[in-house]
Amino acid sequence: MKSGTIAGTYNENISIVSTGATSINVICSGTSTNPPAPVIYAPTVTSLSGFNYGYGNGPSGTQCFNISAQYLIDTLFLSCTPEFEISAAGSNVFFSGNNCIKLLPTEGMINTTIYTRLRSGLNVNTYSNEKIILSSTGAVSQTVLLSGSVTSIPVISPQPQSITICAGSNARFFSKASSPQ
């Protein structure tokens, strides 16, 4: 059958005719089907949490999940909210934003590991319901929810109880935790 034929069942007669020879009729039949729809399978996790670090000490630790897709006809795009970063297996470079990672399918398929972390340089805050979105032409998108926090770090400074400190005397020091402003 000819490539690109509309899905259906076909029956055709082919006549072979030549001068001085007996004609032959050949019946040909076949079925053409539509290709399967592109599928992005649900990631191995639907949410990740515990992306935490103290103010000024980012990024957070990295966590990962696996993704797979089949029958893709176009690039698989990964997007994430700006508070998080993502990286594909085999790369130690992290990206953030819309369509920040583009994976090309091999024979319509993708199987890989995605790494994610809470990016550095964020203010003290809780970051919840952040998202990584996987999308491709003709496929239903998949989402992984992310949450984490940047916490204040206590600053410890010695505070003498008395201003007189002499050799051989007993001085006591106290610490007081305070948050950065």
Side-chain angles (χ1 to χ4, degrees):
M1 291 180 103
K2 183 177 168 184
S3 176
T5 303
I6 296 173
T9 301
Y10 294 87
N11 294 305
E12 298 291 330
N13 290 322
I14 299 175
S15 296
I16 302 172
V17 180
S18 179
T19 305
T22 305
S23 297
I24 300 174
N25 285 324
V26 178
I27 299 172
C28 296
S29 63
T31 303
S32 174
T33 59
N34 289 326
V39 177
I40 302 170
Y41 295 105
T44 53
V45 297
T46 56
S47 66
L48 292 169
S49 60
F51 296 98
N52 304 315
Y53 65 86
Y55 181 77
N57 291 319
S60 71
T62 301
Q63 296 183 47
C64 66
F65 59 94
N66 296 316
I67 61 169
S68 60
Q70 194 171 7
Y71 311 119
L72 296 182
I73 57 174
D74 200 358
T75 303
L76 177 64
F77 295 99
L78 283 83
S79 301
C80 73
T81 52
E83 294 78 15
F84 282 83
E85 300 172 312
I86 54 178
S87 179
S91 171
N92 59 0
V93 179
F94 284 80
F95 301 95
S96 188
N98 287 333
N99 299 334
C100 62
I101 293 183
K102 299 170 182 153
L103 301 174
L104 296 175
T106 301
E107 296 180 7
M109 297 181 66
I110 290 178
N111 289 300
T112 194
T113 302
I114 301 300
Y115 298 87
T116 186
R117 66 187 183 189
L118 186 62
R119 75 172 178 83
S120 62
L122 296 173
N123 291 323
V124 172
N125 202 351
T126 298
Y127 300 92
S128 58
N129 293 318
E130 307 297 333
K131 297 176 184 175
I132 296 174
I133 299 172
L134 294 76
S135 61
S136 186
T137 302
V140 174
S141 296
Q142 297 288 341
T143 300
V144 175
L145 295 176
L146 307 170
S147 63
S149 63
V150 176
T151 57
S152 61
I153 297 177
V155 176
I156 300 175
S157 56
Q159 306 262 336
Q161 184 175 351
S162 170
I163 48 174
T164 305
I165 300 176
C166 300
S169 69
N170 292 324
R172 293 192 289 176
F173 292 88
F174 298 91
S175 64
K176 177 182 175 185
S178 62
S179 298
Q181 301 297 323

